Short mmCIF file of all heavy atoms in Angstrom, two decimals:
data_model
loop_
_atom_site.label_atom_id
_atom_site.label_comp_id
_atom_site.label_asym_id
_atom_site.label_seq_id
_atom_site.Cartn_x
_atom_site.Cartn_y
_atom_site.Cartn_z
N THR A 241 100.17 108.63 115.20
CA THR A 241 100.83 108.76 113.85
C THR A 241 102.07 107.89 113.74
O THR A 241 102.69 107.66 114.84
CB THR A 241 101.08 110.16 113.44
OG1 THR A 241 101.44 110.19 112.04
CG2 THR A 241 102.17 110.76 114.29
N ILE A 242 102.41 107.45 112.59
CA ILE A 242 103.55 106.68 112.40
C ILE A 242 104.37 107.02 111.14
O ILE A 242 103.64 107.20 110.09
CB ILE A 242 103.33 105.12 112.46
CG1 ILE A 242 104.62 104.29 112.45
CG2 ILE A 242 102.38 104.82 111.34
CD1 ILE A 242 104.38 102.85 112.81
N ILE A 243 105.63 107.26 111.12
CA ILE A 243 106.37 107.57 110.04
C ILE A 243 106.80 106.23 109.29
O ILE A 243 107.29 105.36 109.93
CB ILE A 243 107.75 108.28 110.36
CG1 ILE A 243 107.37 109.68 111.00
CG2 ILE A 243 108.58 108.54 109.15
CD1 ILE A 243 108.56 110.44 111.63
N TRP A 244 106.37 106.18 108.00
CA TRP A 244 106.46 104.89 107.37
C TRP A 244 107.74 104.26 107.34
O TRP A 244 107.92 103.06 107.60
CB TRP A 244 105.78 104.94 105.94
CG TRP A 244 105.29 103.73 105.55
CD1 TRP A 244 105.82 102.88 104.61
CD2 TRP A 244 104.09 102.98 105.97
NE1 TRP A 244 105.16 101.74 104.42
CE2 TRP A 244 104.01 101.79 105.20
CE3 TRP A 244 103.07 103.34 106.90
CZ2 TRP A 244 102.96 100.89 105.45
CZ3 TRP A 244 102.07 102.39 106.99
CH2 TRP A 244 102.02 101.19 106.38
N ILE A 245 108.73 104.96 106.87
CA ILE A 245 110.07 104.35 106.59
C ILE A 245 110.83 104.01 107.86
O ILE A 245 111.61 102.98 107.79
CB ILE A 245 110.91 105.29 105.65
CG1 ILE A 245 111.22 106.62 106.33
CG2 ILE A 245 110.36 105.44 104.34
CD1 ILE A 245 112.17 107.54 105.56
N SER A 246 110.55 104.68 108.89
CA SER A 246 111.33 104.41 110.17
C SER A 246 110.54 103.78 111.18
O SER A 246 111.10 103.12 112.09
CB SER A 246 111.81 105.77 110.63
OG SER A 246 110.71 106.52 111.25
N GLY A 247 109.26 103.78 111.26
CA GLY A 247 108.33 103.26 112.28
C GLY A 247 108.36 104.13 113.53
O GLY A 247 107.69 103.74 114.42
N GLY A 248 108.91 105.34 113.48
CA GLY A 248 108.89 106.24 114.52
C GLY A 248 107.41 106.61 114.72
O GLY A 248 106.63 106.95 113.75
N SER A 249 106.96 106.77 115.91
CA SER A 249 105.51 107.05 116.14
C SER A 249 105.35 108.05 117.34
O SER A 249 106.24 108.34 118.10
CB SER A 249 104.80 105.73 116.53
OG SER A 249 105.31 105.24 117.73
N ALA A 250 104.10 108.54 117.33
CA ALA A 250 103.70 109.46 118.42
C ALA A 250 102.19 109.15 118.73
O ALA A 250 101.50 108.85 117.79
CB ALA A 250 103.94 110.95 117.96
N HIS A 251 101.90 109.38 119.95
CA HIS A 251 100.50 109.13 120.46
C HIS A 251 100.10 110.25 121.26
O HIS A 251 100.83 110.94 121.96
CB HIS A 251 100.56 107.84 121.39
CG HIS A 251 100.98 106.62 120.58
ND1 HIS A 251 102.30 106.32 120.30
CD2 HIS A 251 100.26 105.53 120.08
CE1 HIS A 251 102.39 105.21 119.67
NE2 HIS A 251 101.07 104.65 119.54
N ALA A 252 98.81 110.54 121.19
CA ALA A 252 98.23 111.59 122.03
C ALA A 252 98.33 111.23 123.51
O ALA A 252 98.34 110.04 123.87
CB ALA A 252 96.77 111.75 121.65
N ASP A 253 98.44 112.28 124.31
CA ASP A 253 98.61 111.93 125.71
C ASP A 253 97.48 111.07 126.31
O ASP A 253 97.62 110.36 127.26
CB ASP A 253 98.70 113.32 126.53
CG ASP A 253 100.00 114.04 126.28
OD1 ASP A 253 100.96 113.42 125.87
OD2 ASP A 253 100.04 115.25 126.58
N SER A 254 96.19 111.37 125.74
CA SER A 254 95.08 110.68 126.26
C SER A 254 95.09 109.19 126.09
O SER A 254 94.37 108.44 126.68
CB SER A 254 93.80 111.28 125.65
OG SER A 254 93.75 111.15 124.22
N VAL A 255 95.94 108.69 125.16
CA VAL A 255 95.97 107.30 124.86
C VAL A 255 97.34 106.64 125.10
O VAL A 255 97.52 105.43 124.91
CB VAL A 255 95.56 107.00 123.36
CG1 VAL A 255 94.19 107.63 123.09
CG2 VAL A 255 96.60 107.53 122.39
N LYS A 256 98.30 107.39 125.45
CA LYS A 256 99.65 106.83 125.80
C LYS A 256 99.61 105.77 126.84
O LYS A 256 98.87 106.02 127.85
CB LYS A 256 100.65 107.92 126.24
CG LYS A 256 101.11 108.77 125.04
CD LYS A 256 102.07 109.84 125.59
CE LYS A 256 102.70 110.72 124.46
NZ LYS A 256 103.52 111.77 124.96
N GLY A 257 100.30 104.70 126.53
CA GLY A 257 100.28 103.58 127.40
C GLY A 257 99.14 102.63 127.27
O GLY A 257 99.15 101.48 127.77
N ARG A 258 98.15 102.95 126.38
CA ARG A 258 97.03 102.15 126.14
C ARG A 258 96.90 101.78 124.71
O ARG A 258 96.54 100.60 124.34
CB ARG A 258 95.70 102.83 126.58
CG ARG A 258 95.58 103.07 128.11
CD ARG A 258 94.32 103.62 128.43
NE ARG A 258 93.97 104.84 127.83
CZ ARG A 258 92.88 104.99 126.98
NH1 ARG A 258 92.04 103.92 126.79
NH2 ARG A 258 92.56 106.19 126.48
N PHE A 259 97.07 102.72 123.82
CA PHE A 259 97.09 102.52 122.38
C PHE A 259 98.49 102.41 121.75
O PHE A 259 99.40 103.17 122.16
CB PHE A 259 96.34 103.66 121.64
CG PHE A 259 94.85 103.82 122.02
CD1 PHE A 259 94.26 103.05 123.02
CD2 PHE A 259 94.07 104.66 121.24
CE1 PHE A 259 92.96 103.17 123.34
CE2 PHE A 259 92.77 104.76 121.56
CZ PHE A 259 92.15 104.00 122.66
N THR A 260 98.65 101.60 120.80
CA THR A 260 99.92 101.53 120.00
C THR A 260 99.59 101.46 118.53
O THR A 260 98.90 100.63 118.04
CB THR A 260 100.69 100.29 120.40
OG1 THR A 260 100.83 100.23 121.82
CG2 THR A 260 102.09 100.18 119.69
N ILE A 261 100.26 102.28 117.76
CA ILE A 261 100.19 102.31 116.26
C ILE A 261 101.37 101.57 115.74
O ILE A 261 102.46 101.57 116.30
CB ILE A 261 100.09 103.78 115.78
CG1 ILE A 261 99.75 103.77 114.29
CG2 ILE A 261 101.48 104.48 116.00
CD1 ILE A 261 99.58 105.12 113.68
N SER A 262 101.03 100.81 114.70
CA SER A 262 102.08 100.06 114.04
C SER A 262 101.73 99.94 112.54
O SER A 262 100.60 100.22 112.09
CB SER A 262 102.26 98.65 114.66
OG SER A 262 101.07 97.86 114.58
N ARG A 263 102.63 99.43 111.72
CA ARG A 263 102.34 99.17 110.35
C ARG A 263 102.98 97.91 109.78
O ARG A 263 104.01 97.38 110.37
CB ARG A 263 102.85 100.39 109.47
CG ARG A 263 104.22 100.36 108.99
CD ARG A 263 105.28 100.76 110.06
NE ARG A 263 106.53 101.12 109.57
CZ ARG A 263 107.68 100.43 109.76
NH1 ARG A 263 107.68 99.49 110.68
NH2 ARG A 263 108.78 100.93 109.22
N ASP A 264 102.41 97.34 108.82
CA ASP A 264 102.99 96.28 108.08
C ASP A 264 103.29 96.78 106.72
O ASP A 264 102.46 97.09 105.83
CB ASP A 264 101.96 95.11 107.97
CG ASP A 264 102.50 93.87 107.23
OD1 ASP A 264 103.36 93.98 106.35
OD2 ASP A 264 102.03 92.82 107.60
N ASN A 265 104.59 97.00 106.51
CA ASN A 265 105.08 97.67 105.32
C ASN A 265 104.71 96.96 103.98
O ASN A 265 104.27 97.48 103.02
CB ASN A 265 106.58 97.87 105.33
CG ASN A 265 107.01 98.97 104.45
OD1 ASN A 265 106.36 99.94 104.09
ND2 ASN A 265 108.34 98.82 104.02
N ALA A 266 104.88 95.55 104.03
CA ALA A 266 104.50 94.71 102.91
C ALA A 266 103.11 94.78 102.49
O ALA A 266 102.75 94.60 101.34
CB ALA A 266 104.96 93.27 103.13
N LYS A 267 102.19 94.91 103.50
CA LYS A 267 100.73 94.87 103.16
C LYS A 267 100.12 96.24 103.16
O LYS A 267 98.94 96.36 102.93
CB LYS A 267 100.07 94.16 104.35
CG LYS A 267 100.49 92.57 104.34
CD LYS A 267 99.68 91.84 105.38
CE LYS A 267 100.05 90.38 105.47
NZ LYS A 267 99.38 89.55 106.46
N ASN A 268 100.96 97.26 103.21
CA ASN A 268 100.33 98.64 103.15
C ASN A 268 99.21 98.82 104.19
O ASN A 268 98.22 99.41 103.84
CB ASN A 268 99.95 99.06 101.76
CG ASN A 268 101.21 99.17 100.85
OD1 ASN A 268 102.19 99.68 101.22
ND2 ASN A 268 100.91 98.73 99.53
N THR A 269 99.47 98.39 105.34
CA THR A 269 98.40 98.49 106.35
C THR A 269 98.94 99.05 107.68
O THR A 269 100.09 98.79 108.01
CB THR A 269 97.88 96.95 106.63
OG1 THR A 269 97.32 96.45 105.41
CG2 THR A 269 96.81 96.94 107.68
N VAL A 270 98.16 99.90 108.34
CA VAL A 270 98.50 100.42 109.57
C VAL A 270 97.46 99.88 110.61
O VAL A 270 96.25 99.67 110.28
CB VAL A 270 98.46 101.94 109.52
CG1 VAL A 270 97.18 102.60 109.22
CG2 VAL A 270 99.09 102.59 110.78
N PHE A 271 97.91 99.74 111.74
CA PHE A 271 97.14 99.17 112.85
C PHE A 271 97.03 100.21 114.10
O PHE A 271 97.96 100.96 114.30
CB PHE A 271 97.59 97.84 113.34
CG PHE A 271 97.81 96.86 112.25
CD1 PHE A 271 99.11 96.67 111.61
CD2 PHE A 271 96.77 96.03 111.82
CE1 PHE A 271 99.23 95.76 110.65
CE2 PHE A 271 97.03 95.05 110.88
CZ PHE A 271 98.17 94.98 110.23
N LEU A 272 95.94 100.02 114.86
CA LEU A 272 95.90 100.74 116.09
C LEU A 272 95.42 99.68 117.15
O LEU A 272 94.29 99.26 117.09
CB LEU A 272 94.96 101.86 116.05
CG LEU A 272 94.88 102.73 117.32
CD1 LEU A 272 96.22 103.52 117.47
CD2 LEU A 272 93.70 103.72 117.25
N GLU A 273 96.30 99.26 117.94
CA GLU A 273 96.01 98.31 119.03
C GLU A 273 95.55 99.18 120.23
O GLU A 273 96.23 100.04 120.76
CB GLU A 273 97.25 97.57 119.39
CG GLU A 273 96.96 96.46 120.56
CD GLU A 273 96.14 95.28 120.08
OE1 GLU A 273 96.32 94.92 118.96
OE2 GLU A 273 95.34 94.83 120.90
N MET A 274 94.30 98.90 120.68
CA MET A 274 93.71 99.74 121.74
C MET A 274 93.40 98.78 122.96
O MET A 274 92.68 97.82 122.84
CB MET A 274 92.41 100.32 121.30
CG MET A 274 92.56 101.22 120.00
SD MET A 274 91.08 102.06 119.54
CE MET A 274 90.01 100.68 119.08
#
């Protein structure tokens, strides 16, 4: 999950170190890099 205004994020233990959530504020798009 990612908090929109701050970019603060949290990841499940099962994916930490492998997956990264991010967002593009201008495009109203969220990503999951796996």
Side-chain angles (χ1 to χ4, degrees):
T241 189
I242 187 165
I243 298 172
W244 202 257
I245 60 173
S246 71
S249 63
H251 299 76
D253 289 343
S254 59
V255 305
K256 281 181 180 176
R258 299 188 298 120
F259 292 10
T260 303
I261 190 170
S262 62
R263 89 281 197 241
D264 185 328
N265 202 25
K267 296 182 178 180
N268 291 324
T269 301
V270 65
F271 305 96
L272 186 68
E273 182 71 35
M274 304 185 295

